[in-house]
């Protein structure tokens, strides 16, 4: 562990494709101002679904960032991932196609369900026209690991690659996996998650989740920590990061946006929200321990914010259990109430928000939430100025995974 800690894992590139912004800066501007992007779902074939409200990515044209030969063999969730990866690599100043050191860069992503839209389209061809009309890419485009493979092939990166399948918390687990891979000697990792669950087949699958909100008013669909909480609104899109060896990044003259300091994960079972209190608290304590961070050093918490009364209560209590008296004083926020929960991508977007928050000294607000029923200092209405050096990001999955990630402001890794 000591040798791994000696190699800091720095975030040097950020790419975002989200309902409230098709670039990291646009995303942050919307998050900072507390703007909401939840709206009626307009995707073809979804008109009669009982799920009415979600976070749709509108105006997205992947052709500007990805070659046609990759687009025809991949699903929308991979389009998001590849586009976000291109933006992150560009910011980090790392090339692709013919990298100087292809084995020094790897890729890891997390995904909840894979390419539902592509799979549905090809299965409809099978049923309606016959097997000869099913394209060869059906075998890979639906697969939850497709984004890792396609980003690796497209970029020419041949370092350690993988996919994390650990529920929604997998977004944080993937970042931790990338950071540990860097600490073990890999130069850099492209890491993150993107989801595309707003297609008919995917939406039908989600309707089995009792935690899903079927509210018709976008402003009332996703209200965690309130007495009106009735579940979460889903979203598509996501974010990709470049995580690289801190010394290597400084030698390249690349800006250190943040440092991945600590992570821990637990499992408490599907929809066992009362039990998630202990599991999430243990994950928080584990992340703090790995980061060498005292509870009072946490300057802001980006909450999981499930939007289910039992889950919200468990999270509030877990924060108190892990952070002690500091838990009721530390600013807490949940920007995802403005965009929806993009499953595995949701906590990655929260990490992006945390990086921008620390850089700008602002805790972003929790859109649409104005009164809460838990002992939390939830930031509402408008952004709050604050000195932010260390952020805690939390995530839980519907199947029972819990994760916590500690990130420090760039330049503060030695603190």
């Amino acid at each position: 562990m000591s040798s791994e800690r000696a190699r800091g894992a720095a975030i040097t590139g950020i790419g975002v494709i989200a309902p409230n912004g098709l670039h990291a800066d646009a995303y942050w501007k919307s998050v900072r101002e507390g703007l909401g992007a939840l709206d009626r779902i307009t995707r073809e074939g979804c008109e009669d679904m009982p799920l009415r409200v979600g976070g749709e990515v509108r105006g997205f044209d992947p052709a500007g960032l990805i070659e046609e030969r990759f687009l025809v063999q991949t699903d929308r969730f991979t389009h998001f991932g590849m586009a976000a990866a291109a933006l992150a690599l560009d910011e980090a100043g790392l090339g692709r196609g013919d990298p100087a050191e292809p084995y020094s860069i790897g890729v890891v992503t997390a995904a909840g369900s894979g390419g539902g839209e592509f799979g549905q389209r090809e299965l409809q061809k099978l049923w309606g026209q016959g097997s000869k009309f099913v394209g060869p890419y059906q075998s890979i485009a639906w697969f939850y690991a497709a984004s890792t493979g396609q980003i690796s092939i497209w970029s020419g990166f041949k370092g350690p690659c993988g996919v994390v399948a650990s529920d929604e918390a997998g977004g944080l687990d993937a970042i931790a996996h990338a950071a540990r891979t860097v600490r073990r000697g890999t130069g850099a990792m492209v890491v993150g998650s993107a989801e595309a669950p707003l297609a008919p087949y995917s939406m039908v699958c989600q309707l089995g989740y009792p935690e899903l909100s079927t509210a018709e008013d976008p402003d009332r669909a996703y209200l965690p920590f309130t007495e009106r909480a009735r579940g979460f609104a889903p979203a598509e899109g996501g974010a990709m990061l470049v995580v690289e060896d801190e010394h290597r990044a400084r030698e390249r003259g690349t800006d250190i946006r943040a440092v991945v300091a600590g992570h821990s994960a637990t499992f408490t079972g599907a929809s066992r929200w009362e039990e998630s209190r202990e599991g999430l608290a243990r994950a928080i304590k584990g992340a703090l321990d790995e980061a060498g961070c005292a509870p009072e050093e946490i300057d802001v918490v980006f909450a999981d914010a499930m939007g289910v009364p039992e889950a919200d209560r468990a999270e509030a209590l877990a924060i108190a259990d892990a952070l002690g008296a500091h838990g009721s004083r530390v600013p807490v926020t949940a920007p995802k109430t403005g965009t929806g929960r993009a499953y595995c991508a949701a906590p990655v977007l929260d990490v992006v928000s945390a990086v921008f928050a620390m850089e700008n000294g602002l805790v972003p607000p929790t859109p649409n939430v104005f009164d809460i029923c838990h002992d939390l200092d939830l930031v509402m209405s408008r952004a709050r100025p604050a000195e932010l050096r260390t952020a805690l990001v939390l995530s839980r999955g519907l199947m029972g995974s819990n994760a916590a990630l500690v990130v420090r402001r760039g330049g503060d890794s030695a603190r």
Side-chain angles (χ1 to χ4, degrees):
M1 178 60 74
S2 59
S3 62
E4 287 189 11
R5 283 187 176 180
R7 297 173 63 90
I11 297 173
T12 58
I14 296 174
V16 173
I17 303 292
N20 59 344
L22 302 182
H23 190 278
D25 290 336
Y27 168 79
W28 169 245
K29 180 179 180 181
S30 176
V31 167
R32 179 189 66 207
E33 296 177 2
L35 302 179
L38 287 178
D39 207 343
R40 296 297 293 264
I41 296 170
T42 62
R43 301 294 302 283
E44 183 179 357
C46 300
E47 300 86 355
D48 298 324
M49 298 282 184
L51 174 59
R52 303 292 190 185
V53 173
E56 248 183 86
V57 174
R58 304 177 192 271
F60 171 66
D61 180 11
L65 292 168
I66 309 165
E67 296 91 331
E68 176 66 20
R69 66 189 180 96
F70 288 101
L71 292 180
V72 299
Q73 56 187 271
T74 50
D75 179 79
R76 184 172 171 87
F77 92 107
T78 298
H79 298 170
F80 291 147
M82 294 180 75
L87 294 169
L89 287 165
D90 183 62
E91 181 181 79
L94 292 177
R96 69 168 193 84
D98 185 23
E101 302 176 22
Y103 291 97
S104 71
I105 304 176
V107 182
V108 60
T109 65
S113 59
E117 185 176 61
F118 195 107
Q120 177 182 336
R121 183 173 64 245
E122 296 302 306
L123 287 174
Q124 285 176 325
K125 292 179 182 177
L126 173 65
W127 297 330
Q129 299 171 274
S131 59
K132 293 182 179 180
F133 293 87
V134 178
Y137 298 115
Q138 163 67 356
S139 61
I140 59 172
W142 68 270
F143 193 38
Y144 62 89
S147 294
T148 290
Q150 294 289 6
I151 292 171
S152 174
I153 294 168
W154 166 76
S155 61
F157 298 153
K158 301 179 181 181
C161 290
V163 61
V164 176
S166 59
D167 212 355
E168 293 169 71
L172 296 186
D173 295 343
I175 294 173
H177 178 81
R180 288 166 186 156
T181 302
V182 165
R183 290 174 188 141
R184 287 193 293 267
T186 299
M189 294 289 291
V190 180
V191 57
S193 176
E195 304 270 27
L198 303 184
Y201 171 75
S202 300
M203 286 175 61
V204 169
C205 293
Q206 292 170 78
L207 290 173
Y209 300 146
E211 294 86 357
L212 193 72
S213 172
T214 54
E216 298 196 14
D217 183 348
D219 293 336
R220 297 173 182 269
Y222 187 16
L223 302 173
F225 303 117
T226 73
E227 293 182 349
R228 295 174 294 160
R230 55 187 302 173
F232 69 89
E236 60 181 3
M240 297 296 294
L241 313 174
V242 173
V243 175
E244 65 178 300
D245 175 69
E246 188 173 359
H247 298 301
R248 165 192 162 119
R250 294 189 189 283
E251 288 176 357
R252 293 198 305 111
T254 303
D255 290 339
I256 306 295
R257 303 291 301 269
V259 173
V260 180
H263 165 269
S264 185
T266 62
F267 180 79
T268 47
S271 298
R272 297 178 181 176
W273 299 120
E274 190 170 326
E275 295 176 31
S276 75
R277 170 184 178 177
E278 180 181 5
L280 186 59
R282 284 182 176 269
I284 295 171
K285 292 176 181 177
L288 294 178
D289 181 62
E290 183 173 88
C293 179
E296 56 271 17
E297 291 182 78
I298 296 298
D299 299 313
V300 61
V301 176
F302 284 78
D304 174 63
M306 183 65 68
V308 175
E310 298 84 357
D312 293 344
R313 180 176 183 275
E315 182 172 21
L317 292 172
I319 292 172
D321 293 344
L323 302 185
H326 187 59
S328 61
R329 298 191 299 263
V330 64
V332 177
T333 185
K336 62 172 72 75
T337 63
T339 59
R341 290 173 68 93
Y343 294 99
C344 287
V348 183
L349 287 168
D350 278 345
V351 171
V352 172
S353 297
V355 172
F356 275 102
M358 290 188 290
E359 289 178 339
N360 291 273
L362 282 176
V363 180
T366 305
N368 300 322
V369 174
F370 302 104
D371 56 87
I372 63 171
C373 56
H374 298 280
D375 188 19
L376 293 172
D377 182 15
L378 192 72
V379 178
M380 300 175 282
S381 300
R382 60 179 61 86
R384 181 188 301 176
E387 177 70 18
L388 305 176
R389 294 182 178 182
T390 306
L392 174 66
V393 182
L394 307 180
S395 182
R396 292 170 299 175
L398 297 174
M399 298 299 107
S401 295
N402 314 287
L405 188 78
V406 175
V407 290
R408 296 197 191 277
R409 189 173 63 190
D412 289 333
S413 58
R415 173 171 169 250

